[in-house]
Amino acid sequence: MSLPKDIKDLSKDELAAWLVRHDIKPYRANQIQKWVYVRQADSFQEMTDLSKDLRAFLAEHFAIERLNVLKVQTSRDGSKKYLFGLRDGNRMESVLIPERNHYTLCVSSQVGCAQGCEFCCTARGGFIRNLTAGEIVGQVRDLIREIGGGPEDAMRLTNIVFMGMGEPLANYENLLKALKIIVEDDCGFRFASRRVTVSTSGLVPKIERLGTDSPASLAVSLNAADNETRSRLMPINRKYPLEQLVEACRSYPLKSKRRITFEYILIKGVNDSPADAVRLADLLKPVRAKINLIPFNEFSGCEFKRPEESAVIRFQEILMERHYTTIVRHSKGADISAACGQLRAKAE
């Protein structure tokens, strides 16, 4: 017997259309989603502004699912990695990162990843499937409940980054559904769009769509400033080389004062030389850009090494001398394999 569909897999418009097909007023979709996302209801019986008959009818057709927490690991720096079990037996991970006065949640969009980036542990396990919209948004919903931070609390979840397992733009429709709920003011999670970031390895056609389909911020995993090196590190570059990627970023519709974030993982002897920094500065001239430098997080079985701190500092200095906002991001959670590029969803 098949399980009921998770109601979180439906957008508000899809839910409204389903209700209309069953002779139910479409405005009920707003009420239902407010219960699910704002009030964190776990059953339709809690939805007291709906009739008992409607609540029973919804329960016949839908479920309100929580992700199954298989394991939680806590880093020395306070970051927490959550291993979630999915209804089909697959697994994925999310990372909750404490900042100075708020939390950032690193969200996954796929089980595994098909992009095959050489520096990424997730890619070693291959691609299994896309996450549903409900599984994506469920990561946010469940962690909001765990944190319990309201507007008056000192520490609450304010930032969402799609930088976990998978390529978000390869799961585009489910990503859009989740983004709409995350930034929805009335019946969603009410996150400021500038605090929601989608990171991509460079799927150029979807980058061009995202700028008109969502107000979320864009981050591009770049990692090299020449096609030969980037194609070695990131196979996607063979299909969408740097010239196409930079042009898509140049024409991306940015709101006033916003910039595209370019993530650059520094790998010893591969892309961390002063000449690489100069090439990067020249490459990004046409784009409203800021740059995050991420020293490589080593993991077992990978040949790449973390660069010397002096090389990282010199790389940053060259970019700043050329008037780029450049931040060195020392990833949190490395001791529990929760840092950038380390997620694998294994349950050792």
Side-chain angles (χ1 to χ4, degrees), residues 167-186:
E167 164 57 61
L169 298 190
N171 188 11
Y172 194 74
E173 298 307 323
N174 288 327
L175 170 71
L176 282 187
K177 287 183 189 180
L179 287 173
K180 287 177 181 177
I181 289 297
I182 288 169
V183 301
E184 167 70 49
D185 279 334
D186 185 31

Side-chain angles (χ1 to χ4, degrees), residues 160-294:
I160 305 293
V161 293
F162 282 81
M163 299 179 184
M165 297 174 64
E167 164 57 61
L169 298 190
N171 188 11
Y172 194 74
E173 298 307 323
N174 288 327
L175 170 71
L176 282 187
K177 287 183 189 180
L179 287 173
K180 287 177 181 177
I181 289 297
I182 288 169
V183 301
E184 167 70 49
D185 279 334
D186 185 31
C187 59
F189 294 125
R190 306 170 182 176
F191 283 86
S193 60
R194 63 186 174 85
R195 294 184 177 274
V196 180
T197 301
V198 176
S199 178
T200 178
S201 61
L203 274 66
V204 168
K206 297 294 175 62
I207 290 174
E208 294 167 346
R209 288 182 58 188
L210 184 68
T212 56
D213 290 345
S214 172
S217 299
L218 175 66
V220 175
S221 182
L222 194 63
N223 309 313
D226 65 277
N227 280 317
E228 182 180 356
T229 304
R230 192 168 193 267
S231 294
R232 174 192 168 194
L233 296 175
M234 305 178 70
I236 189 67
N237 195 71
R238 298 165 196 159
K239 187 172 185 180
Y240 304 114
L242 283 169
E243 295 78 10
Q244 293 183 32
L245 178 57
V246 171
E247 176 56 26
C249 293
R250 186 197 64 78
S251 59
Y252 192 82
L254 287 169
K255 291 185 178 181
S256 177
K257 299 183 180 180
R258 283 204 197 178
R259 288 171 288 177
I260 296 174
T261 299
F262 289 88
E263 299 155 323
Y264 193 100
I265 296 175
L266 287 162
I267 304 171
K268 185 176 182 179
V270 176
N271 64 357
D272 65 336
S273 72
D276 289 313
V278 172
R279 276 193 291 269
L280 178 60
D282 290 341
L283 178 72
L284 297 181
K285 280 181 180 177
V287 185
R288 285 162 54 186
K290 61 181 179 179
I291 301 167
N292 284 346
L293 300 178
I294 306 167

Side-chain angles (χ1 to χ4, degrees), residues 61-193:
H61 291 86
F62 297 107
I64 309 172
E65 294 193 350
R66 294 281 180 187
L67 295 168
N68 181 23
V69 180
L70 299 178
K71 189 175 184 179
V72 181
Q73 292 176 273
T74 302
S75 167
R76 289 187 295 266
D77 59 38
S79 300
K80 289 186 176 183
K81 182 171 72 170
Y82 294 80
L83 178 67
F84 292 115
L86 308 175
R87 60 158 62 176
D88 63 357
N90 282 304
R91 296 165 174 158
M92 58 89 173
E93 290 176 329
S94 308
V95 183
L96 185 66
I97 305 164
E99 311 284 1
R100 183 180 302 175
N101 57 4
H102 67 275
Y103 289 104
T104 293
L105 179 61
C106 182
V107 174
S108 291
S109 56
Q110 297 179 314
V111 181
C113 186
Q115 301 309 309
C117 298
E118 287 292 323
F119 51 82
C120 182
C121 187
T122 306
R124 300 295 173 98
F127 173 74
I128 298 175
R129 69 168 175 86
N130 287 327
L131 293 180
T132 68
E135 290 165 342
I136 296 172
V137 81
Q139 297 168 70
V140 182
R141 179 175 181 258
D142 290 5
L143 269 297
I144 285 176
R145 184 179 70 164
E146 176 163 327
I147 295 168
E152 70 286 351
D153 289 286
M155 285 289 285
R156 59 193 180 98
L157 181 58
T158 62
N159 292 48
I160 305 293
V161 293
F162 282 81
M163 299 179 184
M165 297 174 64
E167 164 57 61
L169 298 190
N171 188 11
Y172 194 74
E173 298 307 323
N174 288 327
L175 170 71
L176 282 187
K177 287 183 189 180
L179 287 173
K180 287 177 181 177
I181 289 297
I182 288 169
V183 301
E184 167 70 49
D185 279 334
D186 185 31
C187 59
F189 294 125
R190 306 170 182 176
F191 283 86
S193 60

Side-chain angles (χ1 to χ4, degrees), residues 304-333:
F304 296 136
K305 300 298 180 184
R306 188 182 186 92
E308 303 296 333
E309 189 67 18
S310 59
V312 175
I313 293 170
R314 182 60 187 136
F315 203 101
Q316 180 187 32
E317 288 173 345
I318 291 170
L319 294 172
M320 293 179 70
E321 287 165 3
R322 286 157 175 78
H323 310 293
Y324 287 97
T325 298
T326 308
I327 300 170
V328 177
R329 299 287 189 191
H330 292 284
S331 300
K332 294 185 177 181

